[in-house]
Amino acid sequence: MRVKTKRKIQGFSLMLITILIFLFVGEILARASYDSIFNYDTEMWRYASFAKQPSENLLISHEHKPDVDIDLYGANVRINSNGLRDYDYEYENVENVKRILVLGDSVTFGWGVEFDKIYSKLLEKKLEDTQVINTGVGNYNTQMEVAFLKEEGIKYDPDIIILGHYINDAEMTPEVSNYFLKRKSYLYGYLWGKYRNSVGKLSEKGNFLDYYNNLYKEDFEGRVLFEDAINELKDISKEKGIPVVIVIIPELHKLDPYPFESVNEFIRTFEDENTYVLNVLPYLQGYEPESLWVSGEDAHPNEIANDMIAEAIYEKLIKENLV
């Protein structure tokens, strides 16, 4: 009996050692060959693992780590001391210039685009004596963006608030995992990317369209939270006398006819005397959708699209006499 137990323990130990060796070698290979195997999903994993951290504010969920400098998906990303992908602006407006605060997700953050080509910085170049402060963070929804505004963004004392709206902004707030291996293992990132890619190929286009449209059904909790967040933003706007411009940035898989026009119509219902709505879609409909993507696998807006977004916002600000 003791011999059998001893053999079982030895067998289990051998199996455990083999697994650990396999994982160790796999981790070394994944790190060594990463430049030749990375894709959108693995780079998003690196972004989450090395440039983000959990937030103490549960409504925000996660935030950028301050003072990070990392290359992600072909673009250099430098996060400043306040956790923004932007210059090191002081909270106090010491230069006494107009300030525009831009809220948003990975589109506003400028995923896959160099810093000087993201739409907030292109807009800043078009305006005189104006700072356009980019607070975009990947995977933020509107609820998180408004929570960030209340806790951090409002400290910059903005004259105008721009909310960059993207079709997935009614998603529920994601949970943040802080498991060491999940956040630090390149082997995990590679396998996760493979899994995500397989799931994506199995998904049909109809399901993709349905998914986004379903986010805005009246009985979906995410839509309710989205609507509450927009109304809270409008209350802040009225209380502090800060005009808000909601910029509808289109999903770039199909532009004409656009499959989410009903969502755009819903967003337009928030417009009033202090809240403006801008639909960027007409500025992009003359382009082939893929020509506006950062890569063949990723429909985030590239430099061309960011330039069009900046131009559309600039014209809207001029038209409404906001600058």
Side-chain angles (χ1 to χ4, degrees), residues 119-120 122-124 126-127 162 245-250 276-285 287 303-320 322-323:
Y119 75 80
S120 57
L122 294 173
L123 176 63
E124 189 173 67
K126 294 175 181 289
L127 299 169
I162 290 176
V245 181
I246 302 175
V247 178
I248 304 173
I249 301 172
Y276 305 86
V277 176
L278 165 65
N279 185 5
V280 178
L281 180 63
Y283 287 79
L284 301 176
Q285 283 184 317
Y287 292 84
E303 294 179 7
I304 299 172
N306 272 267
D307 187 52
M308 291 290 94
I309 295 168
E311 180 62 24
I313 298 172
Y314 174 74
E315 291 183 8
K316 182 69 172 179
L317 295 177
I318 297 295
K319 178 182 177 182
E320 302 296 346
L322 295 175
V323 293

Side-chain angles (χ1 to χ4, degrees), residues 143-302:
Q143 183 186 18
M144 299 161 73
E145 291 154 11
V146 174
F148 173 86
L149 171 68
K150 292 169 61 180
E151 180 171 294
E152 184 70 13
I154 206 68
K155 295 177 183 178
Y156 291 96
D157 193 21
D159 299 288
I160 301 170
I161 296 171
I162 290 176
L163 176 67
H165 173 269
Y166 191 67
I167 191 69
N168 63 354
D169 281 356
E171 287 180 331
M172 300 297 292
T173 298
E175 294 183 6
V176 177
S177 172
N178 207 25
Y179 294 116
F180 179 81
L181 287 178
K182 188 173 181 179
R183 295 184 64 85
K184 301 299 182 182
S185 169
Y186 274 67
L187 178 61
Y188 171 87
Y190 171 72
L191 295 175
W192 171 247
K194 284 290 187 182
Y195 168 76
R196 289 273 299 175
N197 190 45
S198 298
V199 170
K201 287 181 178 179
L202 291 174
S203 299
E204 296 181 0
K205 188 175 182 181
N207 292 337
F208 165 79
L209 298 176
D210 290 343
Y211 172 76
Y212 282 140
N213 278 312
N214 288 341
L215 292 179
Y216 294 87
K217 285 189 173 181
E218 291 187 6
D219 58 348
F220 178 63
E221 184 181 359
R223 171 187 160 132
V224 175
L225 295 173
F226 169 83
E227 196 165 359
D228 289 346
I230 294 289
N231 286 326
E232 188 172 13
L233 175 60
K234 293 178 67 170
D235 289 341
I236 295 171
S237 167
K238 291 176 182 177
E239 177 187 341
K240 296 186 176 296
I242 307 172
V244 170
V245 181
I246 302 175
V247 178
I248 304 173
I249 301 172
E251 205 286 325
L252 295 178
H253 278 89
K254 186 177 182 180
L255 297 174
D256 194 10
Y258 189 61
F260 307 114
E261 192 54 50
S262 62
V263 177
N264 290 353
E265 289 295 333
F266 170 59
I267 303 302
R268 290 189 189 99
T269 64
F270 293 104
E271 192 162 24
D272 60 25
E273 70 279 358
N274 209 47
T275 302
Y276 305 86
V277 176
L278 165 65
N279 185 5
V280 178
L281 180 63
Y283 287 79
L284 301 176
Q285 283 184 317
Y287 292 84
E288 286 295 323
E290 291 84 354
S291 71
L292 302 173
W293 299 5
V294 293
S295 76
E297 65 170 351
D298 183 1
H300 275 84
N302 62 14

Side-chain angles (χ1 to χ4, degrees), residues 63-165:
E63 61 197 14
H64 285 147
K65 294 178 182 178
D67 299 314
V68 169
D69 194 326
I70 186 173
D71 290 332
L72 290 170
Y73 212 59
N76 177 255
V77 172
R78 190 188 74 83
I79 307 300
N80 69 20
S81 58
N82 287 330
L84 306 182
R85 190 188 183 191
D86 212 325
Y87 302 118
D88 286 295
Y89 295 115
E90 300 287 341
Y91 290 130
E92 184 181 357
N93 189 352
V94 293
E95 297 182 31
N96 195 30
V97 296
K98 184 178 286 292
R99 278 187 161 177
I100 300 175
L101 190 81
V102 186
L103 305 172
D105 57 10
S106 57
V107 173
T108 296
F109 166 80
W111 177 256
V113 178
E114 292 293 348
F115 173 67
D116 62 342
K117 301 297 184 182
I118 63 178
Y119 75 80
S120 57
K121 296 299 100 180
L122 294 173
L123 176 63
E124 189 173 67
K125 292 175 184 176
K126 294 175 181 289
L127 299 169
E128 294 183 1
D129 299 321
T130 303
Q131 295 173 346
V132 182
I133 302 174
N134 173 31
T135 72
V137 179
N139 298 113
Y140 268 23
N141 59 28
T142 303
Q143 183 186 18
M144 299 161 73
E145 291 154 11
V146 174
F148 173 86
L149 171 68
K150 292 169 61 180
E151 180 171 294
E152 184 70 13
I154 206 68
K155 295 177 183 178
Y156 291 96
D157 193 21
D159 299 288
I160 301 170
I161 296 171
I162 290 176
L163 176 67
H165 173 269

